[in-house]
Amino acid sequence: MDSFCRKMYLGESFNALVIVLNESSNTAKDVQLKVELLTPTDKFTVLSPQVTSHLDSGGAIEKVVSHEIRSMEDHTLSVAVSYIHQTGEEALIRKTFRLSILKPIDVKTKNRVVQEEGDILFEFQIENLMNMPIVIDHFVVLPAEGCTVVLQDYLDEANTDTSVFGVNKWVKPRDTRQQLFRITPAVWPDPVSTKDGRNYTSIVIGRVDITWLSAYGERGRIQTSNMTIKVDRTGDLLAQVSSSPGTVEIEKPFKITCLLKNLRFVIHVLVHLLVYLQHIFQQKNDEVAVPV
């Protein structure tokens, strides 16, 4: 085989047919074939050394090798064949084939909304970076310890066949798909205050696991590391949808009822009252009647 450069995507399985062909007029003895995948930091044995006692002229050895690509590093397929020549001398042939690894899917986070009961509505965006359409076969969040994660993309939570996407799971190249989840932390970590007076809490929600199918039926899979989100729990306003229709028709208006709460008003009143009391008590040491 001639050397080549092939592009693959992270999460795909590399499959190849390795052929050793005896093009000489002599019989080769003790033919040993070994196949490895090499990266700058790792070495994987794809095919352990296998010995064929003899390979006649015109004969061939065929082996199918497979390996799941789990690193963005460039891979090099190394094929080594050793044998004993008719003269009794040992010979070694080594071929290398380069594989360039590309990023298949970009996962982004968006729209973190903290609800009054302590849940977080959280949106993931999946962008198809490949040059072919894919089918999202499996998309889940593997929750971190202490977190509960529920997918919210169903019209009926009791029926997983009622996805807002319908039966269409195709994602075209450079297209983006959104997935909405409800995250419930068992314990809220202590917030960190910033200079602008806001309190942010960092929560580890878990890992994202995605499986897809290409147009040719080839399966790919990626899993992110634990993802951390930063949530602002000192928002000024809280918006909630109190009622909405279960289904709507395209290009027709529909009604929803929203509830808007001002979370800052009470806090501002208390702060101003405390400042007023502190000012009064600094002026007088006796009992003070505070106007309301």
Side-chain angles (χ1 to χ4, degrees):
M1 294 188 295
D2 295 330
S3 298
F4 70 99
C5 178
R6 178 181 177 183
K7 294 181 180 179
M8 292 197 64
Y9 291 102
L10 178 69
E12 289 186 328
S13 290
F14 168 74
N15 301 294
L17 173 63
V18 180
I19 303 175
V20 179
L21 177 64
N22 184 0
E23 296 179 332
S24 70
S25 57
N26 302 316
T27 299
K29 298 181 180 179
D30 296 336
V31 181
Q32 178 176 278
L33 171 63
K34 182 178 181 181
V35 183
E36 294 177 322
L37 263 178
L38 311 175
T39 71
T41 57
D42 283 307
K43 179 172 67 174
F44 306 96
T45 300
V46 181
L47 181 66
S48 300
Q50 297 187 3
V51 179
T52 302
S53 59
H54 65 279
L55 185 62
D56 296 331
S57 175
I61 300 174
E62 297 182 357
K63 297 291 182 181
V64 176
V65 297
S66 179
H67 181 78
E68 184 179 350
I69 304 299
R70 301 178 181 176
S71 169
M72 285 294 297
E73 299 175 305
D74 284 346
H75 289 55
T76 301
L77 182 69
S78 173
V79 181
V81 179
S82 62
Y83 63 96
I84 298 178
H85 196 266
Q86 189 178 20
T87 60
E89 297 180 355
E90 294 185 359
L92 175 65
I93 300 175
R94 186 182 299 274
K95 292 272 189 176
T96 59
F97 309 90
R98 183 187 172 195
L99 304 173
S100 295
I101 310 302
L102 305 177
K103 187 177 181 180
I105 293 176
D106 190 23
V107 181
K108 298 179 181 178
T109 59
K110 183 184 177 183
N111 295 341
R112 309 175 189 113
V113 178
V114 181
Q115 296 191 317
E116 193 173 18
E117 58 269 23
D119 294 344
I120 306 171
L121 291 180
F122 191 75
E123 185 178 83
F124 283 102
Q125 288 187 335
I126 312 169
E127 182 182 0
N128 179 12
L129 302 180
M130 293 178 272
N131 58 3
M132 58 183 175
I134 59 173
V135 173
I136 301 298
D137 183 56
H138 178 76
F139 184 103
V140 296
V141 175
L142 305 175
E145 184 177 357
C147 274
T148 302
V149 181
V150 180
L151 181 63
Q152 298 292 295
D153 286 342
Y154 300 120
L155 298 176
D156 181 1
E157 293 186 4
N159 185 0
T160 57
D161 292 331
T162 59
S163 171
V164 294
F165 299 105
V167 296
N168 181 21
K169 296 184 178 181
W170 283 97
V171 181
K172 297 179 181 180
R174 295 298 173 179
D175 272 3
T176 300
R177 178 169 174 170
Q178 291 80 29
Q179 300 279 167
L180 183 66
F181 291 88
R182 180 188 296 272
I183 302 171
T184 307
V187 178
W188 280 84
D190 294 333
V192 177
S193 299
T194 59
K195 293 181 180 180
D196 59 358
R198 310 191 76 84
N199 294 323
Y200 289 95
T201 301
S202 295
I203 300 176
V204 179
I205 60 175
R207 296 168 293 169
V208 176
D209 190 277
I210 304 173
T211 303
W212 70 89
L213 296 172
S214 71
Y216 302 104
E218 297 178 338
R219 184 175 298 273
R221 177 176 178 264
I222 60 171
Q223 186 179 109
T224 68
S225 57
N226 277 329
M227 302 186 69
T228 302
I229 60 174
K230 182 185 289 186
V231 180
D232 180 8
R233 300 203 67 189
T234 54
D236 296 330
L237 300 174
L238 175 64
Q240 292 178 313
V241 177
S242 57
S243 66
S244 65
T247 58
V248 296
E249 296 184 25
I250 297 176
E251 297 182 354
K252 287 189 177 181
F254 60 94
K255 294 181 180 181
I256 62 173
T257 303
C258 297
L259 178 65
L260 189 64
K261 291 184 179 181
N262 185 352
L263 303 179
R264 279 295 203 180
F265 177 73
V266 176
I267 297 176
H268 286 164
V269 171
L270 290 176
V271 170
H272 286 299
L273 179 59
L274 290 174
V275 171
Y276 176 76
L277 289 174
Q278 184 180 15
H279 175 70
I280 294 298
F281 278 107
Q282 286 177 351
Q283 293 180 344
K284 298 181 180 181
N285 294 326
D286 54 348
E287 185 177 351
V288 178
V290 179
V292 179

